[in-house]
Amino acid sequence: MPRFEVAEDLSDKIKNLSRARQSLIEEMEAIMFYDERADATTDKNLKEIIIHNRDDEKEHFSLLLEYLRRNDTELNKEMKEILFSKKELKELGD
Ligand SMILES: [Fe+2]
Protein backbone atom coordinates (compact mmCIF):
# COMPACT_ATOMS: atom_id res chain seq x y z
CA MET A 1 0.00 0.00 0.00
CA PRO A 2 2.81 2.53 0.60
CA ARG A 3 3.34 4.68 -2.47
CA PHE A 4 6.51 6.58 -1.65
CA GLU A 5 8.46 4.55 0.91
CA VAL A 6 9.20 0.87 1.45
CA ALA A 7 6.70 -0.83 3.73
CA GLU A 8 9.36 -2.05 6.15
CA ASP A 9 10.19 1.55 7.07
CA LEU A 10 6.62 2.47 7.96
CA SER A 11 4.62 2.05 11.16
CA ASP A 12 1.32 0.19 11.22
CA LYS A 13 -0.41 3.51 11.89
CA ILE A 14 0.94 5.11 8.71
CA LYS A 15 0.25 1.99 6.67
CA ASN A 16 -3.36 1.99 7.81
CA LEU A 17 -3.73 5.72 7.15
CA SER A 18 -2.37 5.13 3.63
CA ARG A 19 -4.85 2.31 3.10
CA ALA A 20 -7.74 4.48 4.22
CA ARG A 21 -6.60 7.48 2.14
CA GLN A 22 -6.18 5.36 -1.00
CA SER A 23 -9.61 3.84 -0.42
CA LEU A 24 -11.06 7.34 -0.01
CA ILE A 25 -9.58 8.31 -3.40
CA GLU A 26 -11.09 5.20 -4.98
CA GLU A 27 -14.53 5.88 -3.50
CA MET A 28 -14.50 9.45 -4.81
CA GLU A 29 -13.39 8.19 -8.21
CA ALA A 30 -16.32 5.74 -8.21
CA ILE A 31 -18.70 8.61 -7.38
CA MET A 32 -17.34 10.51 -10.38
CA PHE A 33 -17.74 7.50 -12.69
CA TYR A 34 -21.32 6.86 -11.58
CA ASP A 35 -22.23 10.55 -11.75
CA GLU A 36 -21.09 10.78 -15.35
CA ARG A 37 -22.76 7.49 -16.32
CA ALA A 38 -26.04 8.48 -14.69
CA ASP A 39 -25.94 11.80 -16.49
CA ALA A 40 -25.09 10.23 -19.84
CA THR A 41 -27.50 7.31 -19.96
CA THR A 42 -30.81 7.77 -21.72
CA ASP A 43 -32.35 4.70 -20.06
CA LYS A 44 -34.45 5.79 -17.06
CA ASN A 45 -34.19 2.42 -15.25
CA LEU A 46 -30.44 2.22 -15.70
CA LYS A 47 -30.09 5.81 -14.49
CA GLU A 48 -31.94 4.92 -11.25
CA ILE A 49 -29.64 1.95 -10.61
CA ILE A 50 -26.52 3.98 -11.27
CA ILE A 51 -27.69 6.81 -9.00
CA HIS A 52 -28.39 4.28 -6.23
CA ASN A 53 -24.91 2.81 -6.66
CA ARG A 54 -23.33 6.28 -6.70
CA ASP A 55 -25.02 7.17 -3.44
CA ASP A 56 -23.76 3.95 -1.84
CA GLU A 57 -20.25 5.10 -2.73
CA LYS A 58 -20.91 8.36 -0.89
CA GLU A 59 -21.64 6.34 2.24
CA HIS A 60 -18.38 4.42 1.78
CA PHE A 61 -16.51 7.70 1.26
CA SER A 62 -18.02 9.15 4.44
CA LEU A 63 -17.11 6.11 6.52
CA LEU A 64 -13.50 6.36 5.38
CA LEU A 65 -13.42 10.09 6.05
CA GLU A 66 -14.69 9.46 9.57
CA TYR A 67 -11.99 6.80 10.08
CA LEU A 68 -9.36 9.31 8.98
CA ARG A 69 -10.80 12.02 11.21
CA ARG A 70 -10.58 9.69 14.19
CA ASN A 71 -7.01 8.65 13.39
CA ASP A 72 -5.43 11.90 12.15
CA THR A 73 -5.34 14.57 14.85
CA GLU A 74 -4.56 17.46 12.52
CA LEU A 75 -7.25 16.44 10.05
CA ASN A 76 -9.71 16.28 12.93
CA LYS A 77 -8.77 19.84 13.92
CA GLU A 78 -9.21 21.15 10.37
CA MET A 79 -12.51 19.36 9.88
CA LYS A 80 -13.87 20.75 13.15
CA GLU A 81 -13.00 24.24 12.00
CA ILE A 82 -14.23 23.98 8.41
CA LEU A 83 -16.97 21.37 7.99
CA PHE A 84 -20.54 22.54 8.50
CA SER A 85 -19.37 26.09 9.14
CA LYS A 86 -21.79 28.89 8.28
CA LYS A 87 -18.90 31.17 7.30
CA GLU A 88 -18.18 32.02 3.67
CA LEU A 89 -15.59 29.66 2.15
CA LYS A 90 -13.18 32.55 1.60
CA GLU A 91 -13.24 33.20 5.36
CA LEU A 92 -12.14 29.64 6.18
CA GLY A 93 -8.56 28.42 6.22
CA ASP A 94 -5.39 30.35 6.87
FE1 LIG B 1 -17.49 1.74 -2.45
Side-chain angles (χ1 to χ4, degrees):
M1 183 51 60
R3 295 178 63 186
F4 307 106
E5 300 290 338
V6 292
E8 298 76 42
D9 291 342
L10 300 174
S11 65
D12 283 345
K13 178 181 173 78
I14 292 299
K15 287 179 192 171
N16 286 326
L17 283 170
S18 291
R19 291 179 179 112
R21 289 169 177 148
Q22 184 60 44
S23 296
L24 189 82
I25 290 166
E26 292 164 3
E27 297 297 348
M28 184 55 76
E29 197 170 49
I31 291 166
M32 291 168 60
F33 292 152
Y34 282 131
D35 233 5
E36 290 185 15
R37 287 180 193 147
D39 196 45
T41 187
T42 56
D43 184 306
K44 181 180 177 297
N45 292 322
L46 179 59
K47 185 184 291 276
E48 287 175 4
I49 293 166
I50 293 172
I51 287 171
H52 171 82
N53 292 352
R54 178 205 60 200
D55 293 344
D56 278 353
E57 303 302 346
K58 291 179 181 179
E59 179 183 57
H60 304 165
F61 178 91
S62 298
L63 286 166
L64 287 160
L65 190 59
E66 178 61 7
Y67 173 87
L68 288 167
R69 187 192 66 76
R70 292 181 185 192
N71 289 281
D72 180 334
T73 305
E74 189 63 25
L75 181 63
N76 181 49
K77 181 178 150 284
E78 296 293 342
M79 289 173 75
K80 274 186 178 171
E81 181 182 323
I82 293 173
L83 296 182
F84 306 104
S85 172
K86 301 272 190 244
K87 293 180 183 175
E88 293 292 322
L89 289 176
K90 65 185 178 191
E91 296 173 27
L92 297 170
D94 296 329

